Amino acid sequence: MTASAVQAGGGVGSGRRGTGGGSWQTTLFVLLAAGAVVAVAARTRSKKRRRTMSYVLGPDGKHVDIGAIFGLDVGGTLSKLVYFEQTRKSRKVERMQQQKRRNYTDKPFQKSTLKRSASLENLSTPRHTKALDAFYAFIQAEGSPVRAELRDDNLTFFSRVLGGELHFMRFETRYMDRVVEIVKSNRLHHSINSMGCTGGGAYKFSDLFQERLGIVLRKMDELDCLMRGLEFVLQHVVGECYTYKPDKSLSLPLPSPGAGGLDNRMSWRGSHAPGLSSPHSSSCSGAISPTQLPEAPPHEKAKPRRLPGLNLSASAPLTVAAGSTEERRPPPYGDDRGLGLSTAAEVAGESLCNDNSEVPTRERDQPASSSPSSPPGRGYGQEPRRPPTSTGAANAGNLKQEWKYKVQRSGEHVIYPYLVVNIGSGVSILKVEGPGRYERISGSSLGGGTYWGLCRLLTGCKSFDEVLDLAEMGDATMVDMTVGDIYGRGYDKFHLSSSVIASSFGKLATCHDPGEVIREEDMARALLMMITGNIGQVAYLNAVIHRATHIYFVGNFLRHNKISCRRLAYAIDYWSAGKMEALFLEHEGYFGALGAFLNSSYVEDLHAHAQESVGASQAKRSHRATPNKDNIVAEPGTSESCGMSNGKGGKGANKADHAAARLQHHESMPIHSDPRIRDAPRLESLRLEKSYGGFLEPVVDESGDPLLGTDQRVSDGRTNRSSQSAAVATEV
Ligand SMILES: Nc1ncnc2c1ncn2[C@@H]1O[C@H](COP(=O)(O)OP(=O)(O)O)[C@@H](O)[C@H]1O
Ligand SMILES: CC(C)(COP(=O)(O)O)[C@@H](O)C(=O)NCCC(=O)O
């Protein structure tokens, strides 16, 4: 059989060969060609599949990667996590209605300029959906090891532009090991290959994440991320931006809620919003609670509230209600207008000071009759605002009215240049000259870490929130030395009223036994005033130098901290004689994390492209809030890097031109509809009068140019401390 078959085959072959060699060759050629085509196609297909799978099957063999929903910011004190929850169609309407009830919203009908990265797009596969559901269930479950107080639920925000909700949570960075353990024991890391991460911890904890969890932290610059997050909320969120004023009538009108706006005094986080509890209630401790974390080392356990070297144990109760210890207090020194006499309102933090002698309010901006709290005879034009006599003048808080009214500001129409003062562990000060264009101009090591660190040492408080609640009850004048303490009256020649703080904590240097008079709450308050005052001064002076009228104060130091916000609002207004405004943002501490998420998962076109054109000239000296190739890992299978598009290539260049033109047009338009802001004199006209002498005088030279930006006549005689030199000087 075989032989005949072979023969037959041979016969056929021979026959073919015999009948035509060309035909055999053609067949062979066709077969080979077909084989090659199939091989190439198979290779392409497998390449494609490998590319797709690289999202799904990470380097550690993980089958899904939901890392695109996260943005992590690991700071010196706090770690902040933003996670995104894509809203399914069925829930969209419900979420939007919830949003409405919250009195804040993103802007309706906004056309998104954001493009999703492939890794975020990929999340709708069934496997990813399953992994995501497991994660959301874990994080939101009652009794989850990630306890409710770590989540800032009231900051949750539905974004139409992104098509889902953003959630915010934080924990103290010192518990990072424990958090990694929680992630591991709950197998959350199984579905995360990599995530966008910023802050110093992106470097410091990179190995820990890689080795213990197999998660790659994609490092992103912290100030780039901060700016990206901040610009996003300013641009997209109505109700984000606010300030404090002494008078309800000083809020700006915003669109009605029906138009996607708010009642103009309605804070979606503040106590004005009906039915909303504050996310910063005292029960909301920021730290992972000791119940889920290992026992604190003995030295971290709660100590009795006793100040080192101070005899507090017998005389000072743990928490003292206002007025209950009057008899222990030293008699008020000097000016007796309220010093040492806390009223109930002050105790509740409603007042920042108690001297009624000066009028640094906006009364002058309005007819007297329009301000219900204006006393007769002190209305518009009747009494000129007293210019600052020293940068410390506002320290004592010469408030006639209480700067307690939280009022909304429009975040969208920002006025360039503006400053961003990020008060985290330390302080970074940025000057922003246009969308995505900023530089770090200064900083200070006296920041939130200083306050919280000293409070941990000097009080028995176990959490930041607790210490701020304590400070609310304190009276700084019990520890601070005032001008009145030194002069027995005011220093009139330089308009320093007797209640101005001459020396923070100075009173403790002169009393016989500080332990007898000092209470924890007074110290917590005085320390808060000292740190806040110092940051306010540095910010103000930088604003003068850089001719900025608006200062955005952000960072978690301002969390649960109305005292500092009100103080800053008042002080900036006072020092600038009403020409500058301090502004605050609801998501104050989360911009880094938000920016890390946006940078890894969204490509911004408008700003990024515009920067290519508009910002080209500034590129050398200003940083751009865009990730670069060092801090962003390009996603496999895409030609773009994660984060803002670099806009390269012909198509990108066209887009860039368009966007640049749009931005230029936008910038040339009237920037604010409110006449008080629109017509506010720019700082060119802010001249500090020489007669006031002191530190401020040398800031402006004859021609009106600021001098601190160069190297001349800084009060201590040294050269200007740029942000870089400041750091060097600190080291020395
Ligand atoms: N729950 C909290 N625990 C510790 N510090 C807190 C807390 N809430 C607010 N803070 C304040 O916020 C500061 C950290 O601010 P943040 O902007 O997160 O900076 P960083 O990135 O340096 O950690 C702390 O130094 C402290 O002053
Ligand atoms: C080093 C930092 C940028 C880190 O940021 P943070 O974690 O404090 O938010 C910041 O702490 C800082 O700017 N410190 C002040 C350094 C100086 O200019 O003196």
Side-chain angles (χ1 to χ4, degrees):
M1 263 296 278
T2 313
S4 61
V6 170
Q7 266 176 7
V12 172
S14 326
R16 272 193 195 148
R17 229 180 279 138
T19 52
S23 150
W24 175 84
Q25 279 168 339
T26 308
T27 309
L28 187 63
F29 176 76
V30 168
L31 282 175
L32 283 174
V37 168
V38 169
V40 168
R43 233 176 110 201
T44 314
R45 228 187 4 250
S46 102
K47 226 179 181 178
K48 223 174 177 178
R49 211 180 52 218
R50 264 211 313 276
R51 223 185 280 151
T52 317
M53 285 300 287
S54 58
Y55 304 130
V56 180
L57 189 63
D60 294 308
K62 295 174 182 177
H63 291 277
V64 288
D65 182 11
I66 60 167
I69 66 164
F70 299 107
L72 181 62
D73 174 5
V74 184
T77 311
L78 291 179
S79 296
K80 285 77 60 181
L81 181 74
V82 166
Y83 66 91
F84 177 68
E85 189 175 3
Q86 186 166 328
T87 311
R88 288 169 205 163
K89 271 188 188 137
S90 55
R91 295 196 62 199
K92 204 165 180 172
V93 175
E94 184 196 326
R95 294 280 164 109
M96 282 161 69
Q97 275 165 358
Q98 276 172 12
Q99 187 81 7
K100 262 190 180 162
R101 281 200 295 275
R102 286 181 165 202
N103 295 312
Y104 69 95
T105 179
D106 61 349
K107 296 199 187 106
F109 318 121
Q110 264 188 342
K111 198 164 180 270
S112 177
T113 60
L114 298 167
K115 194 168 160 255
R116 286 173 169 223
S117 70
S119 53
L120 201 61
E121 281 295 335
N122 207 38
L123 294 180
S124 47
T125 69
R127 282 178 121 163
H128 283 86
T129 307
K130 207 169 153 195
L132 286 169
D133 286 346
F135 170 76
Y136 297 136
F138 169 80
I139 210 109
Q140 281 154 13
E142 294 283 325
S144 152
V146 180
R147 292 175 39 157
E149 64 261 41
L150 304 181
R151 300 194 314 255
D152 271 322
D153 281 341
N154 283 318
L155 293 180
T156 295
F157 166 62
F158 173 79
S159 166
R160 283 186 186 85
V161 171
L162 304 182
E165 275 182 321
L166 289 165
H167 301 269
F168 303 86
M169 58 178 289
R170 74 195 127 75
F171 58 89
E172 288 189 55
T173 302
R174 65 193 167 118
Y175 294 127
M176 185 59 86
D177 268 340
R178 179 70 184 120
V179 169
V180 164
E181 270 320 302
I182 290 175
V183 169
K184 194 163 183 177
S185 57
N186 288 278
R187 301 167 167 213
L188 298 176
H189 62 307
H190 283 187
S191 49
I192 306 171
N193 276 323
S194 70
M195 63 168 78
C197 183
T198 189
Y203 298 85
K204 189 172 165 188
F205 295 107
S206 174
D207 290 348
L208 179 77
F209 270 69
Q210 178 77 71
E211 283 158 22
R212 299 257 291 274
L213 302 173
I215 295 176
V216 175
L217 294 183
R218 294 156 60 201
K219 301 174 189 64
M220 298 171 181
D221 180 83
E222 68 172 291
L223 297 180
D224 283 355
C225 288
L226 173 81
M227 283 312 302
R228 176 95 197 253
L230 189 142
E231 288 186 333
F232 177 84
V233 295
L234 284 180
Q235 206 183 341
H236 295 291
V237 185
V238 178
E240 178 71 25
C241 186
Y242 63 93
T243 188
Y244 282 97
K245 290 288 164 196
D247 185 333
K248 279 183 194 171
S249 64
L250 296 174
S251 58
L252 294 182
L254 282 176
S256 69
L262 305 171
D263 170 75
N264 60 5
R265 277 185 294 283
M266 199 65 98
S267 156
W268 54 269
R269 202 173 69 174
S271 53
H272 295 299
L276 253 193
S277 65
S278 162
H280 298 327
S281 64
S282 52
S283 65
C284 179
S285 149
I288 285 185
S289 95
T291 56
Q292 321 126 33
L293 292 167
E295 272 280 291
H299 68 275
E300 290 192 352
K301 284 188 181 171
K303 297 183 192 101
R305 292 200 173 174
R306 181 190 164 85
L307 304 178
L310 305 181
N311 180 21
L312 273 183
S313 52
S315 58
L318 292 190
T319 306
V320 190
S324 63
T325 56
E326 265 331 313
E327 63 284 359
R328 286 197 303 105
R329 297 181 175 194
Y333 294 94
D335 186 343
D336 65 355
R337 277 172 296 192
L339 285 187
L341 305 175
S342 303
T343 63
E346 290 162 64
V347 167
E350 296 301 277
S351 171
L352 299 182
C353 82
N354 34 35
D355 183 339
N356 287 347
S357 62
E358 299 183 25
V359 194
T361 72
R362 284 196 183 271
E363 284 173 5
R364 294 179 60 233
D365 298 339
Q366 315 207 345
S369 58
S370 73
S371 170
S373 47
S374 301
R378 288 202 161 179
Y380 181 79
Q382 294 185 25
E383 181 175 312
R385 180 196 292 274
R386 181 174 291 176
T389 57
S390 81
T391 49
N395 270 345
N398 300 303
L399 287 177
K400 181 174 163 301
Q401 291 171 295
E402 298 165 350
W403 283 57
K404 67 177 185 180
Y405 293 104
K406 189 173 177 179
V407 297
Q408 290 296 324
R409 286 287 180 254
S410 160
E412 189 187 11
H413 301 297
V414 294
I415 297 177
Y416 297 108
Y418 64 80
L419 297 194
V420 175
V421 179
N422 184 43
I423 317 174
S425 305
V427 182
S428 279
I429 303 186
L430 316 179
K431 175 170 74 161
V432 185
E433 291 179 300
R437 294 199 333 255
Y438 78 89
E439 60 182 311
R440 185 181 184 279
I441 53 169
S442 189
S444 168
S445 62
L446 302 186
T450 318
Y451 180 66
W452 174 221
L454 286 174
C455 283
R456 286 187 77 203
L457 184 71
L458 297 173
T459 73
C461 290
K462 297 289 282 174
S463 76
F464 183 77
D465 299 55
E466 192 185 342
V467 90
L468 284 175
D469 292 342
L470 194 68
E472 291 265 2
M473 298 187 290
D475 178 354
T477 61
M478 293 292 106
V479 268
D480 291 338
M481 184 186 281
T482 63
V483 169
D485 293 334
I486 300 171
Y487 274 69
R489 43 170 285 169
Y491 183 10
D492 297 336
K493 183 177 173 194
F494 290 106
H495 308 287
L496 296 170
S497 85
S498 62
S499 62
V500 166
I501 295 173
S503 165
S504 294
F505 284 80
K507 212 168 258 171
L508 301 187
T510 58
C511 59
H512 176 63
D513 180 0
E516 283 196 349
V517 293
I518 192 171
R519 301 181 312 161
E520 286 190 355
E521 49 269 52
D522 298 339
M523 208 180 41
R525 179 83 174 214
L527 198 49
L528 193 60
M529 292 291 107
M530 187 177 87
I531 299 287
T532 306
N534 190 64
I535 294 169
Q537 281 188 17
V538 176
Y540 165 70
L541 292 172
N542 273 289
V544 172
I545 295 164
H546 295 279
R547 296 167 188 248
T549 50
H550 291 76
I551 308 175
Y552 293 83
F553 289 93
V554 297
N556 274 315
F557 173 66
L558 299 175
R559 249 199 78 245
H560 190 49
N561 186 358
K562 274 191 271 190
I563 298 176
S564 293
C565 293
R566 292 167 172 183
R567 167 64 47 159
L568 288 167
Y570 162 66
I572 295 298
D573 179 88
Y574 180 73
W575 288 327
S576 70
K579 292 188 172 72
M580 294 180 195
E581 187 163 60
L583 296 161
F584 308 95
L585 298 166
E586 299 286 2
H587 291 85
E588 71 251 306
Y590 282 109
F591 299 124
L594 179 58
F597 162 69
L598 291 170
N599 277 346
S600 29
S601 295
Y602 282 88
V603 179
E604 171 80 82
D605 61 4
L606 177 64
H607 285 175
H609 295 309
Q611 285 155 26
E612 292 295 320
S613 303
V614 180
S617 60
Q618 276 93 357
K620 277 191 189 131
R621 61 189 183 92
S622 298
H623 295 274
R624 284 177 36 198
T626 50
N628 59 34
K629 66 179 185 325
D630 297 329
N631 57 27
I632 293 295
V633 181
E635 285 195 335
T638 61
S639 58
E640 71 212 358
S641 62
C642 291
M644 290 184 189
S645 161
N646 60 18
K648 282 180 189 146
K651 209 175 158 200
N654 286 338
K655 259 190 178 173
D657 293 340
H658 280 302
R662 277 165 59 198
L663 267 181
Q664 273 164 347
H665 173 68
H666 173 76
E667 282 170 357
S668 68
M669 287 181 357
I671 39 188
H672 210 293
S673 55
D674 181 81
R676 280 175 297 149
I677 299 292
R678 192 191 55 222
D679 302 332
R682 303 300 296 241
L683 274 174
E684 285 85 353
S685 62
L686 178 62
R687 295 286 175 268
L688 299 160
E689 293 175 38
K690 287 200 168 174
S691 60
Y692 295 105
F695 184 71
L696 282 179
E697 188 186 5
V699 172
V700 182
D701 74 7
E702 254 91 78
S703 64
D705 287 323
L707 294 175
L708 286 178
T710 63
D711 60 355
Q712 301 170 54
R713 292 197 280 167
V714 181
S715 66
D716 64 2
R718 281 183 286 167
T719 53
N720 173 44
R721 284 162 44 114
S722 69
S723 71
Q724 229 181 348
S725 61
V728 173
T730 310
E731 271 172 34
V732 169

